[in-house]
Amino acid sequence: MSSPAREAILQRLRRGVATGPRPAPENPVRRFDWSPPERLRRFTAALTAVRGEVIPVGDDWPATLFSRLSAKGATNLRFAPATALGAELAAAWPDRGAITLIPHDQPIEACRAELFSATDASLTGCLGGIAETGTLVLWPSIQEPRLLSLVPPIHAVVLEADRIRSTFHEFLVAEDWAGRGLPTNALLISGPSKSADIEQTLAYGVHGPKELLVLVRVKGDTADPPPALA
Amino acid sequence: MPPEFAVRVGQALDNERLRRNLRRTMDGLVAKRRQAFPDIHELAVLRRRGKLIRAQALANLPDLLLELEANCERNGIRVHWAETVAEGNAIVLDLLRRQGARRVIKGKSMVSEEMGLNHHLEAQGIQAVETDLGEFILQLAGERPSHIIAPAIHKDRREIAALFAAHFPEYPYTEDIEGLTAIARRIMREHFGQAIAGLSGVNFAIAETGTLCLVENEGNGRLCTTAPDLHIAVCGIEKVIARLDQLPPLLTLLTRSATGQPITTYVNLISGPRRAGERDGPREVHLILLDNGRSRMHRDRQLRATLRCIRCGACMNHCPVYTRLGGHAYGTVYPGPIGSVLEPQLQGLERQGELAEASSLCGACGEVCPVRIPLPGLLRRLRAEGAGEGEDAGVPGRGSRRKAPQRLIWTLWRLTHAHPALYRLATHLATRLRWLVPTGLGPWARTRAAPVIAPRSLHELARAEGFAHE
């Protein structure tokens, strides 16, 4: 959008740049050759340090999630029914009487109140994990909207162990984020919501989820590393 | 009219509670940063890389801003340009009015503080609600942030408990930090569920992909940028970086320098409003690029380094002046060493030039800066600008701090040091007439021993010892 302010700012900046364009500085990808078990170990240690719960699971993960949520007193779980993960959950949920499954398939305008005040827990998938910092990479989609991972007090995530990479730098370069294009809102999540604004003392559960449950699905013995860097 | 800087300094130094709260927090932040960078070699490599990425962005700034604008617009983010804070405020107000918003929920943004946005909106009948816990506390207290990362560090839990009790008597009194946080969560939930407009700052704007990166721990930043129909982002024009793969080194420098965290709880990468078929997210995203003097700083090769800043706050955490005064004594939006460099350039040397003089030039700020801004050098440069000396960068108020007695002292100093005979005469007189030096030197000598001039100068003693060569 052209405007007088835009032209004036750019003109002043041009006067300051007499040297011509400067090339991008060297920025080699920072990554580590950790084995798959080492990546999982580091991921777990880093995320546990910021009060995330990491639970190794198998194909019966819905039952594991059910028992964890029961122990926390949750009475309902909101999920994305149109995703593969959502279908797995719905097919294997042990008891819909004890913890109700709520399909999250409406525009926010139709479910705002229920999402903000009547949802105990939510489940989402993720694109992968980052071992160095104990981070989940989320790419919300049409089927799995942004607020699902943010508003309910408990957020559960299923992570495939073979999708854990060593660093964020490795992740976004190996998967060519800039080339393939970013979603509306890509997210890195490392633990439940927290604040240290009072006396620099950590308190958890400020505005986002109070608890973060990561169900790590280990297929086979995690012998297959993620595809090598291009 | 706020009290003079010197008066505010005195008040801050006399405030024992403030000193105690600051000391605790600053020592903690310094220790956390140190632990976050255990490998000094890695730190050196990272700082160098961070500096080069930011310097490249500034060297290519006009082109990068155009690339950012084009890619944001392609993504559906509307881009606005503001030369002054008044223009920026007018754009925000217009967007909110078009939306019919009577209230806007805000994530933490120092640029919005720079704009005085809350005050401006409230004068126009629109309520600005700060949602970051620290900013929320300050809004209750009617105060401004005293630190750019931890805005309410000058307060302890008892003060905050009293504040909550006064404003929210319906909640039981508590001094428990988790309890206070829980109260804030419940109050804010209502706003998040209802607000139709949200406003945030921007930590990095990525030109290559047209993406706005925001880092935070609480989730309020995500809520402000996701839950309402309208998201307005305010951003200084210097915040742009060229490429997405430059983000990881800057992110790790930012969070580790600021709070010692390897990463914040949330890193939020926003590349557009709600797309067709999506079920949530704002329907409109607007990016306001604010100049407010930055393009002037950009013109001078040395002062341009000011714009490399990624707002981590490490310089203030390590500053012997800031850690004793806190941010309020500065009387500016940005305190600490970066504030003392930035504010005189933003507001003019006649108004804020004093800040560049309030430094011992110990160099700690320059040592810890993650993008290696030579802060002590910039402070000296601004002192010279204030005195009207050296290269003219067009800093407003240049020469306004020139003082006749200072000029006289330096002229005499130069003369005596350029002429050996004059130097000998001066030291001879000073040593022989030392009984004339007053014993009471005012407040300075109240807690210190007043200096005593030696009976013989060093040169005289050396000659007496037989040193022939001067």
Side-chain angles (χ1 to χ4, degrees):
Chain A
M1 193 174 63
S2 192
S3 71
R6 176 182 186 271
E7 302 319 315
I9 293 169
L10 287 171
Q11 198 186 359
R12 277 197 299 274
L13 291 176
R14 294 244 179 255
R15 261 183 271 151
V17 186
T19 47
R22 189 190 289 197
E26 214 177 297
N27 186 21
V29 176
R30 190 169 161 280
R31 63 181 299 279
F32 300 95
D33 277 321
W34 294 325
S35 68
E38 177 67 5
R39 283 199 293 268
L40 178 56
R41 192 189 66 73
R42 285 180 183 265
F43 171 86
T44 306
L47 187 53
T48 311
V50 288
R51 221 189 265 189
E53 291 176 56
V54 181
I55 308 151
V57 294
D59 285 336
D60 62 342
W61 64 266
T64 311
L65 177 60
F66 179 86
S67 66
R68 289 290 176 135
L69 291 181
S70 301
K72 292 177 189 297
T75 60
N76 57 45
L77 172 67
R78 199 172 267 271
F79 75 111
T83 60
L85 201 68
E88 270 186 71
L89 177 85
W93 197 241
D95 185 349
R96 287 172 199 243
I99 299 179
T100 320
L101 287 186
I102 309 172
H104 189 61
D105 53 5
Q106 298 294 312
I108 183 64
E109 287 74 16
C111 60
R112 195 181 284 268
E114 299 94 286
L115 179 65
F116 272 88
S117 51
T119 304
D120 291 341
S122 67
L123 173 78
T124 72
C126 66
L127 197 64
I130 296 164
E132 185 185 35
T133 48
T135 300
L136 296 162
V137 182
L138 267 72
W139 283 46
S141 62
I142 289 176
Q143 290 77 26
E144 202 179 79
R146 296 158 71 166
L147 288 172
L148 190 58
S149 62
L150 178 58
V151 177
I154 303 172
H155 176 209
V157 186
V158 175
L159 166 69
E160 307 293 342
D162 62 6
R163 294 285 305 156
I164 301 175
R165 292 183 182 273
S166 67
T167 64
F168 177 41
H169 203 167
E170 176 186 348
F171 207 113
L172 68 81
V173 171
E175 309 207 352
D176 190 23
W177 283 18
R180 73 197 258 205
L182 289 163
T184 311
N185 184 208
L187 285 165
L188 307 183
I189 298 180
S190 311
S193 151
K194 65 175 180 280
S195 176
D197 275 348
I198 304 177
E199 294 190 0
Q200 282 293 301
T201 304
L202 272 181
Y204 284 88
V206 192
H207 301 301
K210 296 176 179 178
E211 296 182 63
L212 178 69
L213 261 64
V214 181
L215 310 174
V216 185
R217 182 145 63 165
V218 185
K219 283 186 189 130
D221 55 2
T222 71
D224 301 329
L229 267 177
Chain B
M1 189 69 188
E4 292 283 320
F5 181 52
V7 177
R8 294 194 304 267
V9 167
Q11 288 166 346
L13 290 176
D14 283 343
N15 185 339
E16 277 185 36
R17 188 171 203 168
L18 173 71
R19 299 278 301 265
R20 202 166 49 237
N21 292 345
L22 275 172
R23 181 94 237 175
R24 179 184 53 226
T25 314
M26 294 299 118
D27 286 353
L29 287 172
V30 166
K32 285 178 199 164
R33 175 187 172 276
R34 199 166 45 230
Q35 285 161 14
F37 290 114
D39 180 346
I40 57 163
H41 175 69
E42 192 208 357
L43 173 61
V45 170
L46 260 176
R47 286 177 74 219
R48 183 172 163 71
R49 192 165 300 164
K51 172 194 163 173
L52 289 175
I53 290 171
R54 292 295 300 132
Q56 182 223 359
L58 295 173
N60 302 345
L61 192 53
D63 290 336
L64 283 182
L65 285 169
L66 289 175
E67 188 185 346
L68 175 73
E69 180 188 45
N71 286 326
C72 281
E73 295 272 354
R74 186 173 46 78
N75 291 340
I77 299 174
R78 296 289 312 279
V79 179
H80 309 258
W81 302 69
E83 280 196 271
T84 60
V85 295
E87 282 181 24
N89 284 331
I91 295 169
V92 174
L93 183 65
D94 181 55
L95 290 169
L96 292 174
R97 284 205 171 134
R98 281 204 292 115
Q99 192 75 12
R102 304 294 308 275
R103 177 187 288 162
V104 56
I105 53 173
K106 285 184 64 195
K108 183 168 163 43
S109 154
M110 288 309 295
V111 167
S112 80
E113 295 284 344
E114 185 181 327
M115 292 162 65
L117 180 66
N118 294 8
H119 184 73
H120 177 79
L121 291 179
E122 260 143 52
Q124 304 293 326
I126 295 177
Q127 187 194 4
V129 180
E130 295 287 354
T131 62
D132 171 86
L133 179 59
E135 297 278 354
F136 172 72
I137 291 165
L138 293 183
Q139 202 169 31
L140 293 179
E143 293 177 20
R144 298 177 75 167
S146 67
H147 189 282
I148 64 171
I149 295 294
I153 36 149
H154 56 285
K155 292 203 175 300
D156 57 42
R157 72 180 83 189
R158 272 176 209 87
E159 291 170 277
I160 294 163
L163 206 53
F164 276 34
H167 283 83
F168 313 111
E170 63 273 28
Y171 291 97
Y173 180 86
T174 176
E175 289 180 2
D176 174 56
I177 290 174
E178 299 254 349
L180 291 167
T181 304
I183 294 174
R185 177 186 173 97
R186 275 161 68 184
I187 292 163
M188 275 302 144
R189 276 266 140 167
E190 242 171 78
H191 288 298
F192 289 131
Q194 292 167 2
I196 58 172
L199 188 134
S200 74
V202 174
N203 291 100
F204 303 101
I206 300 137
E208 177 183 31
T209 54
T211 300
L212 312 178
C213 173
L214 276 84
V215 303
E216 56 139 347
N217 286 316
E218 297 182 6
N220 66 309
R222 282 181 69 197
L223 280 161
C224 289
T225 57
T226 308
D229 277 338
L230 169 68
H231 168 210
I232 303 169
V234 291
C235 176
I237 53 171
E238 83 283 14
K239 285 286 172 72
V240 64
I241 59 171
R243 294 162 51 154
L244 186 62
D245 72 356
Q246 294 176 335
L247 183 61
L250 291 176
L251 269 185
T252 199
L253 280 168
L254 172 61
T255 62
R256 290 203 264 176
S257 300
T259 57
Q261 288 176 276
I263 192 168
T264 49
T265 303
Y266 302 114
V267 177
N268 192 354
L269 297 168
I270 296 170
S271 306
R274 188 189 301 203
R275 293 177 192 166
E278 289 185 345
R279 299 198 184 109
D280 62 13
R283 294 181 186 279
E284 286 182 33
V285 178
H286 295 262
L287 172 66
I288 299 172
L289 295 170
L290 177 71
D291 182 344
N292 191 30
R294 288 166 172 81
S295 59
R296 193 184 53 234
M297 291 176 217
H298 184 261
R299 281 184 65 184
D300 183 87
R301 200 167 280 277
Q302 188 185 9
L303 294 178
R304 182 186 295 175
T306 314
L307 300 174
R308 291 211 293 263
C309 178
I310 58 174
R311 305 280 189 264
C312 70
C315 61
M316 48 198 81
N317 300 346
H318 290 78
C319 175
V321 179
Y322 178 90
T323 54
R324 281 160 184 80
L325 297 179
H328 286 160
Y330 289 75
T332 51
V333 169
Y334 301 97
I338 188 63
S340 299
V341 166
L342 190 57
E343 295 283 359
Q345 298 185 70
L346 290 177
Q347 296 190 47
L349 289 155
E350 68 277 27
R351 289 185 62 191
Q352 300 296 353
E354 212 171 358
L355 294 181
E357 289 155 27
S359 165
S360 65
L361 296 177
C362 77
C365 49
E367 288 290 313
V368 296
C369 175
V371 289
R372 295 176 57 167
I373 301 173
L375 288 158
L378 294 177
L379 288 169
R380 288 196 296 120
R381 169 70 188 275
L382 289 170
R383 290 179 184 184
E385 290 275 347
E389 299 282 335
E391 206 180 325
D392 184 357
V395 179
R398 178 182 162 88
S400 63
R401 304 201 58 77
R402 200 182 173 95
K403 293 186 192 92
Q406 227 171 46
R407 297 287 317 150
L408 180 68
I409 288 167
W410 285 115
T411 305
L412 291 175
W413 188 88
R414 195 170 62 231
L415 282 174
T416 49
H417 285 75
H419 299 92
L422 204 55
Y423 185 87
R424 271 195 298 275
L425 177 68
T427 51
H428 184 84
L429 286 175
T431 48
R432 293 337 184 259
L433 302 177
R434 64 199 188 102
W435 51 273
L436 282 176
V437 174
T439 46
L441 282 175
W444 195 86
R446 216 177 292 150
T447 53
R448 300 173 183 86
V452 179
I453 295 179
R456 293 290 176 270
S457 78
L458 184 63
H459 282 204
E460 282 180 78
L461 294 175
R463 269 194 301 274
E465 289 290 326
F467 290 96
H469 189 69
E470 269 188 54

